[in-house]
Amino acid sequence: METQRQRKIAGVIQKDIVDILQKAAIDGGLRNTLISVSKVSVTTDLSIAKIYLSIFPNDKAGELMEGIKSNQPLIKHELSQRTRNQLRRVPELLFYLDDSLDYIENIEKSLKREENPIENRDLLPKRKKS
C-alpha cells in the first residue's frame, strides 16, 4: 500500500521525467518518437524510483532504453535541479520498458482472427470430467 507521500513524490518525478526525456529526444534528433511515463513507483524509504516508459514506435524502444539507462546520472542531475525545492534527496532512478500496450495489441489481434475461441468453442480444449 502506497502512502500519500510516496504518491506525491511519484507524481512529481513522473511530471518532470516526461519533460526531461521529451526535451532530450527532440534535442537528440528524434522528432517522430513519443516517450511517455506510464507509471512511477517509489519505495517506502524513498530511495528508489521505478520508472516505466512507453515508447512509440516500438522499433526504436530497445535502442532508446539503452541510451536512457546510460545517461541515467545526467537525468538524475536534471531531475534534482528541477525538484530542489520539493525533494531533499532524489531517489535512485531505475528505468523499465512498459510493454502493456504490446500485450493488449496481441490480445486484440488474436480476437480478430478467423479462429476466435470466444465465438467457436470447438477450438478450446475439452475439459475432462472427474
Side-chain angles (χ1 to χ4, degrees):
M1 184 87 184
E2 277 189 336
T3 63
Q4 182 70 19
R5 178 141 175 87
Q6 284 175 289
R7 284 192 294 270
K8 283 183 181 179
I9 290 175
V12 167
I13 291 172
Q14 183 173 6
K15 180 180 153 292
D16 288 332
I17 287 289
V18 166
D19 293 338
I20 292 168
L21 293 178
Q22 285 292 346
K23 183 178 181 283
I26 291 172
D27 292 344
L30 296 173
R31 297 269 184 230
N32 296 327
T33 303
L34 177 67
I35 302 171
S36 65
V37 178
S38 57
K39 181 180 179 184
V40 175
S41 160
V42 182
T43 57
T44 54
D45 62 352
L46 308 177
S47 64
I48 298 173
K50 294 180 181 179
I51 302 168
Y52 295 91
L53 301 175
S54 181
I55 299 171
F56 184 79
N58 293 335
D59 57 342
K60 299 179 183 178
E63 173 187 333
L64 208 52
M65 282 300 291
E66 288 178 18
I68 289 171
K69 287 180 181 179
S70 66
N71 290 323
Q72 188 266 346
L74 296 172
I75 295 170
K76 184 175 178 180
H77 176 71
E78 178 70 25
L79 182 65
S80 69
Q81 294 299 315
R82 290 174 180 238
T83 60
R84 67 176 170 245
N85 295 329
Q86 298 163 328
L87 300 175
R88 282 191 189 147
R89 291 185 55 206
V90 175
E92 184 69 28
L93 305 177
L94 301 176
F95 293 97
Y96 298 98
L97 186 63
D98 184 16
D99 59 351
S100 60
L101 294 176
D102 296 333
Y103 181 71
I104 292 169
E105 186 177 329
N106 288 337
I107 290 174
E108 286 179 358
K109 282 182 182 177
S110 66
L111 289 176
K112 289 180 181 178
R113 284 190 285 184
E114 294 176 13
E115 300 173 354
N116 188 346
I118 293 175
E119 294 172 357
N120 186 0
R121 298 246 182 228
D122 295 333
L123 296 172
L124 297 173
K126 300 292 181 187
R127 290 178 53 189
K128 294 181 181 177
K129 294 181 182 179
S130 51

